[in-house]
Amino acid sequence: MRPFGELESDIMRVVWASAEPLSIQRITDVLNEERPLAYTTVMTVTERLRAKGWLGRAKRGRSYRYSPLRSADDYTAELMEQALASCTDRANALLHFAGRLDADEAAALRKALDTLPPDPETDPDPDPEADTNP
């Protein structure tokens, strides 16, 4: 997966922040608060995001409304996985990453890791009682 371009990121940020599906006009209006963009440019890039599977659309009246099909967290996780896939020592890369976290982020990471179910491939004996012979 390629990372989003600047306008793709901006469009997704607007759509992710909305509680309801948005028209191209509304997306354009929000983006134009930061910099001037043509309606047709926003429409083209929004449609490309839909074709890539990031946005869904539903007809409302004479126009479409766009909503996210995947979350911002999913996008970030995919980028992180892609970065890890490109290194030869994932454990070392993760260690360097964790070392850059502030205390709150490190605590959140610890909590997230603690909530994961045990990996049966790495747990040598998940149920020691099951192996006893009567």
Side-chain angles (χ1 to χ4, degrees):
M1 176 191 90
R2 289 183 45 182
F4 291 146
E6 183 181 354
L7 184 52
E8 287 175 321
S9 290
D10 290 344
I11 289 170
M12 290 305 299
R13 179 182 42 80
V14 169
V15 175
W16 280 324
S18 178
E20 59 189 38
L22 299 174
S23 67
I24 297 290
Q25 186 60 59
R26 181 65 189 135
I27 295 168
T28 303
D29 290 345
V30 171
L31 293 173
N32 278 335
E33 293 171 6
E34 298 170 12
R35 68 178 194 263
L37 291 163
Y39 176 92
T40 54
T41 300
V42 175
M43 180 176 60
T44 299
V45 175
T46 301
E47 275 300 311
R48 285 187 185 149
L49 286 164
R50 187 182 69 82
K52 292 177 181 181
W54 285 96
L55 294 175
R57 73 177 187 190
K59 187 102 167 157
R60 188 175 306 157
R62 295 181 356 173
S63 65
Y64 289 104
R65 302 283 192 257
Y66 294 83
S67 56
L69 295 177
R70 298 168 67 188
S71 71
D73 292 338
D74 185 38
Y75 174 69
T76 301
E78 222 172 287
L79 288 176
M80 292 171 71
E81 176 59 33
Q82 186 176 352
L84 284 171
S86 70
C87 69
T88 56
D89 187 350
R90 288 172 70 112
N92 198 31
L94 286 168
L95 184 60
H96 282 278
F97 172 73
R100 295 179 180 172
L101 300 176
D102 66 29
D104 290 339
E105 293 166 334
L109 179 58
R110 277 188 200 94
K111 183 178 178 183
L113 291 172
D114 288 343
T115 63
L116 291 176
D119 184 354
E121 291 182 22
T122 59
D123 192 355
D125 197 2
D127 186 4
E129 300 290 322
D131 290 340
T132 59
N133 290 326

